[in-house]
Amino acid sequence: MAIKELIAVNILVPVCLILWAGSSALCKVAVGGKAFDSVTPGRYLFSLAVPIFVAVEGLRKRSLDLSGALAGVTVGFILTFTNYSFFTSLFVFFVTSSKATKFRAEKKKTIEHEFIEGGQRNWIQVLCNSVVAAQLSLFYLLDSGPQEQPIDFNISFTSSWLGMGVLGRSILHDACFYCYYIISG
């Protein structure tokens, strides 16, 4: 293992264990132990490690600047911790929109006044694209805790609507994004 990877592991694992212990203790005292009982340290590890990895790759490929990477890690943690399918929708959007941004860059350079080579996203662009999903996923987290559950309006009405809101926002945003690039040619 490289030194950077060892440092990352030595930081991520204790942070995840501290988050797990803190949330377990807090929920036992404040909530009565209902919502966060089933949260494992692995969920915290995955929820921190994967968004950090995606942000580092985004920095390396010049799809994000540093502020965009930090905002992406924050939003990525919220969505991943809440529900893995929320993270999947965010990840698919990030990968496809990064490719679409670089598609026909020469033509876009002549059309757009504030064209940035490589299409690096800053924190403002990251939040504009993801703050609604992050807000809905926080409501989902408060309603049903960090878990995967099917969308079933008869069993869990509120969390089903919130889950549909997060996933629907991602789908509609992607559709509008691609229509813009198809029309602008």
Side-chain angles (χ1 to χ4, degrees):
M1 259 192 194
I3 291 178
K4 289 180 183 177
E5 291 153 348
L6 283 173
I7 291 171
V9 168
N10 286 326
I11 291 172
L12 277 177
V13 171
V15 166
C16 292
L17 289 174
I18 289 168
L19 286 172
W20 171 70
S23 70
S24 296
L26 182 65
C27 284
K28 294 288 185 200
V29 173
V31 183
K34 292 181 182 174
F36 293 99
D37 260 353
S38 63
V39 178
T40 63
R43 188 173 193 105
Y44 284 106
L45 182 63
F46 185 83
S47 298
L48 276 173
V50 173
I52 288 172
F53 174 76
V54 172
V56 168
E57 284 298 305
L59 282 169
R60 190 178 65 77
K61 292 185 177 185
R62 301 185 48 84
S63 295
L64 296 168
D65 67 3
L66 183 60
S67 68
L70 293 174
V73 167
T74 303
V75 171
F77 174 78
I78 292 169
L79 270 71
T80 307
F81 182 72
T82 302
N83 190 308
Y84 294 137
S85 64
F86 296 170
F87 169 75
T88 304
S89 69
L90 179 70
F91 180 73
V92 168
F93 168 73
F94 175 69
V95 170
T96 56
S97 64
S98 294
K99 297 226 182 267
T101 299
K102 294 176 183 177
F103 179 69
R104 294 186 182 170
E106 302 82 27
K107 189 171 184 177
K108 291 176 194 164
K109 204 182 290 187
T110 62
I111 298 171
E112 297 178 13
H113 299 288
E114 298 176 13
F115 181 80
I116 300 172
E117 191 68 41
Q120 282 190 319
R121 289 175 181 80
N122 60 18
W123 70 273
I124 295 171
Q125 292 167 318
V126 169
L127 290 181
C128 284
N129 289 324
S130 62
V131 75
V132 172
Q135 181 182 17
L136 290 173
S137 64
L138 284 173
F139 290 147
Y140 179 97
L141 183 65
L142 292 172
D143 182 61
S144 62
Q147 62 181 338
E148 282 61 54
Q149 63 183 21
I151 293 175
D152 187 353
F153 294 101
N154 293 325
I155 295 173
S156 54
F157 185 78
T158 306
S159 61
S160 293
W161 273 115
L162 292 169
M164 291 294 293
V166 172
L167 298 174
R169 187 232 51 98
S170 299
I171 292 167
L172 288 173
H173 191 276
D174 288 352
C176 292
F177 187 78
Y178 295 124
C179 287
Y180 168 76
Y181 279 107
I182 288 171
I183 290 170
S184 66

